[in-house]
Amino acid sequence: MTADLPTRPPGPPATDIPPPDPGPVHRPPTRLLAPLRETGKLFALTLSVTRSVFRRPFQAREFVEQFWFIASVTILPAALVSIPFGAVIALQVGSLTQQLGAQSFTGGASVLAVIQQASPLIVALLISGAGGSAICADLGSRKIREELDAMEVMGVSPVQRLVVPRVLATMGVAVLLNGLVSVVGTLGGYFFNVIMQHGTPGAYLASFSALAQLPDLYISEVKALIFGFIAGIVAAHRGLNPRGGPKGVGDAVNQSVVITFMLLFFVNMILTAIYLQIVPAKGS
């Protein structure tokens, strides 16, 4: 008598068992969502830099080196560019005031245009084009050589070690350079208005004192500070996120300059609108 062998329970054959569920499929973001993702990374870097400013140790040597480098590549171009800017504004405003019969207000109008609008924008554009492109190229080359990854492995924050000193350097140079550009632009406007358009030096200075006020200088410095911060943040963001090796670093430099220019004009419009609503005109 033989023992009964165990029989396989009825059911589908082994080959019919469905494969395990691999889980949700992660699809790459579409092109429409890519700008939103980059914008989120930019704001995340802004918050990280803001928090890291108050952490210790502060990289004083790196800050001094970056400050001197940015200042050395922007001082002379800023002074040279501010002269034709002031001249063009003075000539255009002087021609317009002559047509309206208000030559006595030429000096005040041209100087206010230079201090409030032209000077911060000139400073920011030069810092972004000269200093910001260098910052982006430096950080991008470090990224593709995996130096930043090595710093993170060693417990060193690349944001605190490299980004914060560069952003603070761009802000400091922007504020100091804004004063230089304002002075040079005002002197250039004075020369072209008085010498070329045969204006009166006394009327030029009197109109300036009649229309200008101290908050005009304050908003100019605030704009320069914010514009320097934007230039440094955008350059650092694009430098930390290059694509495609060395060619991607070059593309990131170009992108950083273009994005900074767009943001500068947009933020300048907002700051000007807020200033005109908060600060009343002199004599009103």
Side-chain angles (χ1 to χ4, degrees), residues 87-114:
V88 168
I89 293 175
L91 294 175
Q92 188 66 42
V93 172
S95 176
L96 182 61
T97 53
Q98 286 181 2
Q99 297 177 16
L100 299 177
Q103 294 89 340
S104 59
F105 294 102
T106 301
S110 60
V111 170
L112 285 179
V114 170

Side-chain angles (χ1 to χ4, degrees), residues 45-210:
L45 179 62
T46 303
L47 295 177
S48 179
V49 170
T50 305
R51 291 195 302 264
S52 300
V53 168
F54 304 99
R55 294 178 181 174
R56 297 295 180 269
F58 178 72
Q59 304 297 327
R61 181 176 179 179
E62 187 77 17
F63 169 76
V64 173
E65 291 178 353
Q66 295 299 319
F67 187 96
W68 172 249
F69 168 74
I70 298 174
S72 63
V73 298
T74 54
I75 287 179
L76 183 59
L80 296 178
V81 169
S82 60
I83 295 176
F85 256 91
V88 168
I89 293 175
L91 294 175
Q92 188 66 42
V93 172
S95 176
L96 182 61
T97 53
Q98 286 181 2
Q99 297 177 16
L100 299 177
Q103 294 89 340
S104 59
F105 294 102
T106 301
S110 60
V111 170
L112 285 179
V114 170
I115 293 178
Q116 285 192 19
Q117 303 298 331
S119 179
L121 287 177
I122 291 173
V123 170
L125 295 180
L126 288 175
I127 287 181
S128 174
S133 59
I135 291 173
C136 182
D138 179 37
L139 295 178
S141 61
R142 292 172 183 262
K143 180 67 176 180
I144 64 174
R145 292 198 303 263
E146 300 182 353
E147 292 183 15
L148 303 183
D149 298 335
M151 293 176 63
E152 293 180 351
V153 170
M154 293 186 296
V156 179
S157 173
V159 173
Q160 184 179 2
R161 178 64 179 81
L162 300 175
V163 177
V164 171
R166 286 163 171 77
V167 173
L168 293 180
T170 56
M171 296 171 64
V173 173
V175 171
L176 297 180
L177 205 60
N178 183 65
L180 173 64
V181 174
S182 298
V183 172
V184 176
T186 301
L187 293 178
Y190 174 85
F191 174 81
F192 281 91
N193 181 260
V194 173
I195 302 301
M196 299 189 63
Q197 293 184 324
H198 307 289
T200 305
Y204 189 95
L205 298 177
S207 63
F208 172 66
S209 61

Side-chain angles (χ1 to χ4, degrees), residues 14-25:
T15 56
D16 296 338
I17 299 177
D21 186 9
V25 179

